[in-house]
Amino acid sequence: VQGTLRHAAQAELGGAGGARLLGDAVTVLDVHGSLFYAGARALEASLPDPTGVHAPVVVLRMRGRVTLGATAFTVLAGYAARLEVQGGRLYLSGLDPRLFDAFHHVVDVDVQRRMRVYEAHPTLGDSTRQALYDAEAWLLRADPDAADVGSTTRPAPMARAWRWVRHRFSDR
């Protein structure tokens, strides 16, 4: 299937073998297949639904992609908006330098605010590690009690940190 995902880390498997997002946690997913035309729509259909999940953060591994079609940009922007509504954020890692530049020149400033992009490094996994590190740091700074779900201000950072630690290491 084109434009599909493979669960990589920190997600619970949901129905039909797909990843299910965890609240206040980072989910890393590999993107496989073409992201042109129908492949981008297949990706959209296979992305985990963030509805009802508090502060879901997703890192999509995009390694090996040199270009993306307009449909893929639309799908990613839409998914970033859906995550933002729940207080989450989208991170894209492993972007080819030309694709990385395209995000900063082609993508709307409002969309850039909703997602973070990381250029591929020569060492496999480095950009994903950086995205994961930044995503976890962003989660610790995010305010779970803010009226604006997308807010990144934090009146009580230690309470947020302890909540994250309890969630991450609890017996589920």
Side-chain angles (χ1 to χ4, degrees), residues 36-56:
F36 287 96
Y37 309 112
R41 292 299 176 194
L43 171 68
E44 181 177 42
S46 63
L47 287 167
D49 185 8
T51 305
V53 180
H54 182 268

Side-chain angles (χ1 to χ4, degrees), residues 105-118:
H105 291 83
V106 175
V107 176
D108 181 282
V109 173
D110 190 47
V111 173
Q112 288 182 26
R113 181 181 56 79
R114 291 187 186 119
M115 69 173 88
R116 299 294 183 259
V117 294
Y118 295 80

Side-chain angles (χ1 to χ4, degrees), residues 31-35 62-68 94-96 99:
V31 177
H32 293 276
S34 171
L35 291 183
M62 306 290 285
R63 184 119 183 141
R65 308 215 174 276
V66 179
T67 61
L68 288 178
L95 295 172
D96 178 86
L99 188 54

Side-chain angles (χ1 to χ4, degrees), residues 140-165:
L140 289 174
R141 286 191 308 267
D143 180 7
D145 301 319
D148 174 16
V149 187
S151 173
T152 58
T153 60
R154 175 78 187 134
M158 288 308 296
R160 177 74 172 167
W162 281 114
R163 180 178 173 189
W164 178 82
V165 167

